[in-house]
Amino acid sequence: MRVLIVDDDFYSRVMLHDMMRPVAECHIAVNGEEALGAFKKALDDGRPYDLVCMDLVMPEMDGQQALREMRGYEDDLGLESERRCKIIVISMLEDSRETNDAFFLGGADCFLVKPIDEERFMAEVRALGLSA
């Protein structure tokens, strides 16, 4: 499994990396702009990410915009839903508007609130059909 971890907070990146490292090849981005570049390159190289863990509030480009652009790029490539990357939005925000936007406007597959509980996170990864 290939995973892209996107968060501007060092601690959050390390925590997610430590959870996923035993079961996945992990890459890290510190903002939405870096994430979008890595996401597009992975698709263009024929080695797409299976999972993106995306924070919402980041500098440069926030998670909402990056999420919409990632899904737009998949649309441009004509990827069917079963071939699309699974995206888990992870945020300190518990705002229902943010959650709604992530799911309905951005196409997120799951929304978790920080701090992340490892057991719950890994259960969500499995529920998305990814082996972990």
Side-chain angles (χ1 to χ4, degrees):
M1 175 174 21
R2 296 188 74 211
V3 177
L4 178 61
I5 297 165
V6 188
D7 202 310
D8 62 322
D9 178 66
F10 176 78
Y11 175 75
S12 295
R13 289 191 308 265
V14 169
M15 185 179 67
L16 285 167
H17 184 262
D18 287 349
M19 285 183 210
M20 294 304 298
R21 183 177 39 196
V23 297
E25 174 186 338
C26 299
H27 297 165
I28 292 175
V30 298
N31 61 50
E33 193 172 293
E34 279 187 9
L36 186 59
F39 184 83
K40 286 181 174 182
K41 183 174 183 343
L43 277 168
D44 293 344
D45 290 348
R47 297 192 67 223
Y49 290 107
D50 300 295
L51 175 65
V52 173
C53 301
M54 176 85 70
D55 186 19
L56 286 181
V57 180
M58 296 180 288
E60 309 294 321
M61 177 189 291
D62 68 17
Q64 290 285 15
Q65 183 179 352
L67 178 58
R68 284 190 304 272
E69 292 197 28
M70 287 175 176
R71 291 304 192 207
Y73 195 65
E74 289 175 325
D75 288 342
D76 291 347
L77 295 175
L79 293 179
E80 296 175 17
S81 61
E82 64 273 356
R83 293 189 54 222
R84 289 176 179 244
C85 178
K86 302 297 185 195
I87 299 177
I88 298 177
V89 169
I90 300 171
S91 181
M92 297 273 307
L93 302 173
E94 293 187 60
D95 185 316
S96 61
R97 181 174 175 265
E98 293 290 337
T99 306
N100 185 59
D101 288 352
F103 278 112
F104 298 107
L105 300 178
D109 296 289
C110 176
F111 185 91
L112 297 174
V113 176
K114 293 179 186 178
I116 297 300
D117 174 75
E118 183 172 0
E119 201 171 293
R120 177 149 189 249
F121 175 77
M122 297 308 282
E124 289 293 341
V125 170
R126 286 188 296 276
L128 291 171
L130 301 171
S131 55

